[in-house]
Amino acid sequence: MAYVRTDVVIVGGGPVGLLLAAELAGYGVRTVVLEEQAEVAERPRATTLHARTAQVLARRGQLPAPALPLSEGTSSTPFHFAGVWGLELTAPAAEPDPLFKRPQAALERLFEERALAAGAQVLRRHRVTGLDRRDDGMTVSAEHPGGQSEFEAAYVVGADGARSTVRTLGRIPSDTTPPTVAAMVGVVRCDGPEAPEPGWHRTPLGWVVAKRTTEGRLHLRVADCLNAPADHRLPLEIDEFRRETSRIMGRDIDMDEPHWLSRFSDFSRLARTYRSGRVLLVGDAAHLHFPVGAQGLSTGLLDALNLGWKLAFTVRGDASPGLLDSYDAERRPAAERLLDQVRTQVELMRPGRTPGSLDELAAGAADAGAELARLGLMVSGQDTVLPTRTGRPSAWEGRFLGNRELNTDDGPVDVIRLLRDGRMLLVRFASEGARPVSGVPHDLLHDLRHVLRVVRAEPVAGLPGAALLLRPDGYVAWASDTAGDIEAPLLDWLAPARTAQARESASSASSSRAWTSA
């Protein structure tokens, strides 16, 4: 039996778990990822990230930043809702594109590379078998080809998907809805004249979505919207997949050389809490829905980006009381909204209910154009406003600050680059002769320097007049239009009580046992 002591154990080495590992390790938190699979799975999965996910990834240095000087205006790309095209997804031109395309396997390799470079350990072929709570932490048991290991950690995060072992062993309850749609997915050789053309095909029985892979195969998703699915654990063979595709399309379709076949449905799950003591959930372990609208991966990555800095600050002793609880308070409602939205799309996709166009869908609204714009912001995650935390709310708190250039004492720089080191950002606006924001003792700012970056900038039209406090993910933590005390808002988020030496001692105490071979 090998024993390892660390700060955080992440169970699950998919893109969500590996991004979280890269975030935590980047903050200096000792992190171990346990993954059952021996290598990154190459089967076709998600390929799309929506605008808000790409925007936050850029602020955390996980995606390239836009070139300077920043472009003005907006960029747009067409998208669909319930299989009906006509939606325009837009984003400011100073941000990443509204849709960021990259295969999930490529994202996994990118995040794993960054996690390893930052100091995380990624242990593959490790299957978690036990989860025990202690007064001061957690013990995770795992089996692997070399035997068994136990990992002692302050926190455990379940990023292990829909059948989450962490959620089960952590006894975190969920609310579920039964499946009503029988769906299949496969990559096959299908070259005859009867093969579905790439695109979305609506039929009297359901839907077929087809696209060509780079290898020339056909990636097919087939949904029977009239019948409940068979047991998803049953194996899917090429004969059944061929038969169901032909039935839904209404013509005989020949196919062979299956590369990958699987079943899925509109079964949904939402954990009743994302945090149970020292156990937390992210991604599909916390929420599951029918894969329409390419929103699942984006939502899971936003979980990781929301949790990463909060858990890191908590482990290091830099977080104010209750900061970690805000993860559940912010991310669970977002998932609840997503599940409701996806159920709406599934209902609209049923035969006889699908609108002929999105204009028809929005026709009942007082302003059809505004309704379509609202749908676009919702699908892309850009309508998210977080609950207030400071008890001193302004109209800005909880809103996402779009990228823009600030004329600081060190020269022009944009918001994305100012946030990339992972600290909170305090921007103090002061024109020549203006009274500066007061109430921040120098020793407080000095004690917070490892978690707070302070810059002085010229006022910007449309931004608060005196001060702006940003979280590492780009959301506004606090803002003020008038000079005044900002010590209290800072302490709503951060704990400056310990010196760097004390923090280092605490980190050493939590990791006092040397790494052992696992």
Side-chain angles (χ1 to χ4, degrees):
M1 177 78 74
Y3 298 90
V4 175
R5 179 169 290 181
T6 187
D7 293 325
V8 177
V9 169
I10 300 171
V11 181
V16 175
L18 290 170
L19 173 60
L20 179 59
E23 288 286 286
L24 292 172
Y27 280 109
V29 174
R30 300 194 182 198
T31 306
V32 175
V33 179
L34 304 178
E35 167 56 43
E36 283 195 50
Q37 301 301 315
E39 56 189 17
V40 173
E42 295 295 336
R43 65 180 184 270
R45 292 178 288 179
T47 59
T48 300
L49 298 183
H50 279 289
R52 182 50 47 86
T53 307
Q55 291 161 6
V56 180
L57 284 168
R59 282 154 177 77
R60 295 298 305 115
Q62 302 291 352
L63 289 181
L68 296 175
L70 298 178
S71 301
E72 297 182 356
T74 61
S75 57
S76 65
T77 189
F79 204 65
H80 60 87
F81 189 83
V84 182
W85 287 83
L87 202 62
E88 283 291 323
L89 301 185
T90 63
E95 301 279 3
D97 291 337
L99 286 180
F100 179 82
K101 291 286 190 178
R102 184 170 296 183
Q104 182 169 321
L107 285 175
E108 288 187 24
R109 284 190 287 269
L110 172 65
F111 295 149
E112 181 171 8
E113 177 184 330
R114 294 193 172 183
L116 293 171
Q121 285 206 343
V122 179
L123 305 179
R124 294 189 173 273
R125 303 174 70 185
H126 278 62
R127 184 175 68 87
V128 171
T129 58
L131 186 67
D132 297 313
R133 300 177 190 263
R134 309 189 319 272
D135 291 340
D136 59 345
M138 304 292 299
T139 299
V140 181
S141 303
E143 295 179 346
H144 50 86
Q148 295 182 333
S149 295
E150 284 192 354
F151 301 83
E152 295 182 6
Y155 293 91
V156 174
V157 181
D160 48 345
R163 304 176 190 177
S164 172
T165 298
V166 172
R167 186 185 63 241
T168 300
L169 295 179
R171 299 179 180 178
I172 297 178
S174 301
D175 294 315
T176 63
T177 57
T180 65
V181 172
M184 302 175 178
V185 61
V187 177
V188 297
R189 182 69 63 186
C190 187
D191 298 321
E194 74 285 355
E197 291 293 324
W200 290 66
H201 302 273
R202 177 174 45 179
T203 82
L205 299 178
W207 291 81
V208 173
V209 183
K211 65 178 179 180
R212 285 288 174 186
T213 69
T214 55
E215 296 81 15
R217 295 174 179 268
L218 202 59
H219 180 192
L220 292 170
R221 286 177 288 163
V222 181
D224 178 351
C225 295
L226 298 178
N227 297 294
D231 188 338
H232 66 274
R233 293 168 294 186
L234 293 175
L236 178 59
E237 304 295 340
I238 183 65
D239 288 343
E240 182 183 0
F241 189 60
R242 180 191 303 113
R243 184 171 61 251
E244 285 301 296
T245 304
S246 299
R247 185 176 69 85
I248 300 299
M249 285 296 296
R251 63 177 185 264
D252 289 335
I253 296 175
D254 193 23
M255 61 181 70
D256 56 18
E257 299 182 24
H259 181 65
W260 178 64
L261 300 172
S262 183
R263 304 177 192 270
F264 64 101
S265 74
D266 62 332
F267 171 86
S268 68
R269 178 194 300 276
L270 180 61
R272 292 182 185 173
T273 180
Y274 283 17
R275 181 189 180 193
S276 175
R278 294 179 178 271
V279 180
L280 300 113
L281 301 177
V282 292
D284 287 352
H287 46 78
L288 185 68
H289 60 84
F290 188 69
V292 62
Q295 298 171 89
L297 177 58
S298 285
T299 303
L301 295 180
L302 285 174
D303 291 345
L305 292 164
N306 186 292
L307 177 61
W309 66 277
K310 294 175 181 178
L311 184 54
F313 284 17
T314 300
V315 169
R316 300 188 329 185
D318 298 321
S320 66
L323 178 62
L324 192 55
D325 287 329
S326 69
Y327 167 63
D328 175 85
E330 292 175 358
R331 292 307 302 159
R332 190 178 183 280
E336 193 168 21
R337 287 185 65 211
L338 172 60
L339 265 63
D340 288 342
Q341 176 219 123
V342 168
R343 291 188 191 105
T344 297
Q345 293 197 57
V346 170
E347 287 303 311
L348 288 172
M349 293 174 71
R350 298 192 190 281
R353 300 200 59 182
T354 307
S357 67
L358 286 184
D359 288 336
E360 178 184 322
L361 176 65
D367 185 334
E371 175 63 12
L372 292 179
R374 185 191 70 82
L375 286 178
L377 292 174
M378 178 175 63
V379 168
S380 63
Q382 295 179 98
D383 66 342
T384 301
V385 177
L386 302 178
T388 58
R389 172 174 169 77
T390 66
R392 305 164 183 84
S394 71
W396 282 90
E397 187 172 343
R399 291 170 54 185
F400 190 78
L401 183 68
N403 193 31
R404 64 200 69 198
E405 286 190 25
L406 300 177
N407 190 13
T408 73
D409 289 346
D410 295 323
V413 63
D414 67 329
V415 170
I416 286 179
R417 288 170 175 82
L418 285 171
L419 287 172
R420 285 197 146 190
D421 64 6
R423 291 180 290 175
M424 294 190 75
L425 174 66
L426 175 61
V427 182
R428 306 173 76 172
F429 297 107
S431 57
E432 185 175 353
R435 185 165 62 92
V437 175
S438 62
V440 187
H442 178 75
D443 57 351
L444 173 62
L445 293 181
H446 182 269
D447 199 32
L448 290 174
R449 68 191 185 281
H450 60 290
V451 287
L452 179 68
R453 182 175 188 174
V454 182
V455 299
R456 185 179 181 274
E458 295 179 1
V460 177
L463 291 186
L468 184 66
L469 180 64
L470 291 179
R471 303 162 22 144
D473 55 12
Y475 282 90
V476 177
W478 172 82
S480 177
D481 285 314
T482 60
D485 180 9
I486 64 172
E487 179 177 359
L490 287 174
L491 297 181
D492 284 326
W493 295 90
L494 303 172
R498 296 197 293 174
T499 64
Q501 183 177 0
R503 282 190 299 273
E504 184 176 347
S505 298
S507 177
S508 299
S510 68
S511 308
S512 58
R513 186 179 297 175
W515 287 101
T516 60
S517 174

